[in-house]
């Protein structure tokens, strides 16, 4: 069954499942106020997406929090000076 999005006169938005073969899909009753709601139309999502990203979006997965030691990518390393400085102690 397709899902349709509706908006009532008060600005409340809600989604409803409607049979694709029966009934009027242009109007519905708002569950909050009981008023008449009109169907909203949105542009279809037709772009191609990586299947892993699509699965995460569809499942509503929250991003995983990482600890400081688990940083992604290559760690930044401090560069040692290439010039010898004999006048500095500990260098």
């Amino acid at each position: 069954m397709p899902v349709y999005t509706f908006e009532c006169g008060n600005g409340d938005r809600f989604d409803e499942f409607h049979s694709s073969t029966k009934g009027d899909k242009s109007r519905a009753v708002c569950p909050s106020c009981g008023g008449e709601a009109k169907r909203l139309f949105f542009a279809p999502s037709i772009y191609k997406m990586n299947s892993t990203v699509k699965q995460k979006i569809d499942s509503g997965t929250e991003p995983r929090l990482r600890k400081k030691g688990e940083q992604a990518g290559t760690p930044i390393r401090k560069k040692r000076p290439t010039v010898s400085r004999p006048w500095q102690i500990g260098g």
Side-chain angles (χ1 to χ4, degrees):
M1 277 201 263
V3 178
Y4 297 101
T5 303
F6 295 90
E7 184 174 32
C8 73
N10 295 334
D12 295 331
R13 284 189 179 182
F14 59 95
D15 295 327
E16 280 191 2
F17 291 100
H18 282 269
S19 173
S20 58
T21 58
K22 297 179 184 175
D24 181 17
K25 298 170 197 65
S26 63
R27 302 194 184 283
V29 177
C30 178
S32 300
C33 66
E36 185 177 303
K38 293 183 180 180
R39 182 174 164 198
L40 299 176
F41 292 91
F42 296 103
S45 139
I46 56 174
Y47 60 90
K48 199 166 189 174
M49 187 185 313
N50 181 339
S51 63
T52 305
V53 173
K54 186 176 180 181
Q55 287 173 354
K56 289 189 183 261
I57 290 172
D58 289 343
S59 68
T61 305
E62 291 290 324
R64 186 172 76 90
L65 298 177
R66 296 177 183 242
K67 295 181 181 176
K68 190 173 182 178
E70 298 178 332
Q71 295 292 331
T74 308
I76 300 172
R77 295 189 178 138
K78 294 181 181 177
K79 294 182 180 179
R80 293 200 167 254
T82 56
V83 179
S84 175
R85 297 181 183 133
W87 60 87
Q88 288 183 333
I89 299 174

